[in-house]
Amino acid sequence: MSRDHWFEDLADHMGRAYDRYAHTKGTMQEVDHIVGALRLEPGERVLDVGCGTGRHAHELARRGCVVHGVDISERFVAIAAEDAPPGATFARLDARTLPFDAEFDAAVCLCQGAFGMMTAEGDDAAVVGGISRALRPGGRLALSAFNAYFAVKHHDDAVFDAATGVSHERTTIRSETGDPAVVDLWTGCYTPRELSLLLTGHGLVVDSISGVEPGVYGDGPPTTETPEFLVIARRAIGGQGVVPAGA
Ligand SMILES: C[S@@+](CC[C@H](N)C(=O)[O-])C[C@H]1O[C@@H](n2cnc3c(N)ncnc32)[C@H](O)[C@@H]1O
């Protein structure tokens, strides 16, 4: 696979230092909530899209799920595989071209796991389309996305492009040994209505959208005051609306 995603250099620089960031510290609470919201049972097959270093995939596998994590970063996939408990496997894949067909009981795509990490028109739709096809009919999805209202209102260090909904910031990341690097970060931001339209257009039924933040997942309504939205959805039975691969 060609190396064409801006995040790959960042992942190479951070390596295991990614797991030191504050937003990764709420994994247990996030998985507790998702297991309940998706009614996950031991033995169910779960796809983790944009799995990063595998923190959700590892925890879901420890709870008995059979998890396959995919990520575009070779470095992150290597870390995830190295630390994997039984029941968790990993592969380097571009989430825009997921090859799965009705193979999973559930999928998670969390903390801008590919979704919201690309800025070209159609990228996020390709991710959602691939996730929808990967789910068996009735299969469930938990997907988080950055809250556009929050970005405009509270994200003072970033520039929000109203035409595209993309927030851009320059920030410093650190390597495992603490070496700093100044990098650009782009985040695609969403409103609940956009999320609903996008998922519904790809054969998913949206059950709920809540306002959340890392480590504080819950069922509260969307507001302007939480950094992320969490969508709980499922693939429609009968597959209506599922866009064929490459369409
Ligand atoms: C902010 S991290 C989130 C990782 C993980 N889901 C978590 O919660 O810690 C975003 C991840 O999405 C991955 N990613 C971005 N674009 C991708 C793509 N097109 N295909 C697969 N993974 C992608 C990045 O490599 C990165 O690991």
Side-chain angles (χ1 to χ4, degrees):
M1 193 198 306
S2 66
R3 190 180 162 88
D4 61 358
H5 196 295
W6 58 268
F7 195 84
E8 288 172 272
D9 290 338
L10 275 68
D12 283 353
H13 187 79
M14 286 185 284
R16 288 179 181 277
Y18 173 78
D19 292 316
R20 294 182 200 148
Y21 281 87
H23 73 268
T24 66
K25 298 299 179 194
T27 308
M28 292 297 170
Q29 193 280 336
E30 292 160 12
V31 172
D32 282 348
H33 181 76
I34 280 161
V35 165
L38 299 185
R39 300 176 313 285
L40 286 174
E41 299 288 344
E44 286 199 301
R45 280 184 52 79
V46 181
L47 177 66
D48 184 350
V49 178
C51 62
T53 53
R55 62 194 182 101
H56 296 108
H58 291 168
E59 186 53 30
L60 287 166
R62 283 186 206 106
R63 298 180 191 208
C65 293
V66 180
V67 191
H68 189 53
V70 301
D71 199 284
I72 203 160
S73 161
E74 200 159 7
R75 178 86 177 102
F76 277 3
V77 167
I79 292 170
E82 223 171 281
D83 298 343
T89 55
F90 296 91
R92 180 172 184 242
L93 272 185
D94 189 332
R96 289 168 286 193
T97 53
L98 292 175
F100 309 110
D101 183 14
E103 291 164 48
F104 291 93
D105 300 301
V108 298
C109 180
L110 301 171
C111 193
Q112 286 76 52
F115 186 84
M117 291 286 293
M118 292 161 291
T119 49
E121 204 177 326
D123 279 345
D124 282 350
V127 174
V128 169
I131 293 174
S132 185
R133 283 188 297 277
L135 290 169
R136 63 165 172 76
R140 295 93 72 204
L141 167 66
L143 172 140
S144 71
F146 210 80
N147 177 344
Y149 306 128
F150 182 93
V152 172
K153 204 170 163 187
H154 297 296
H155 211 170
D156 296 331
D157 299 333
V159 177
F160 184 82
D161 181 346
T164 59
V166 173
S167 167
H168 172 226
E169 66 180 306
R170 271 182 88 68
T171 188
T172 302
I173 59 168
R174 293 193 182 271
S175 70
E176 288 167 12
T177 52
D179 293 336
V182 178
V183 298
D184 291 288
L185 278 179
W186 290 271
T187 309
C189 304
Y190 282 89
T191 65
R193 186 166 176 272
E194 287 170 325
L195 290 167
S196 208
L197 286 168
L198 184 59
L199 270 65
T200 305
H202 287 87
L204 293 156
V205 177
V206 173
D207 289 319
S208 67
I209 302 181
S210 51
V212 301
E213 60 184 284
V216 194
Y217 281 12
D219 301 318
T223 71
T224 58
E225 304 306 315
T226 64
E228 295 181 10
F229 295 124
L230 178 68
V231 187
I232 302 297
R234 70 199 130 88
R235 182 171 169 181
I237 307 277
Q240 289 109 326
V242 177
V243 181

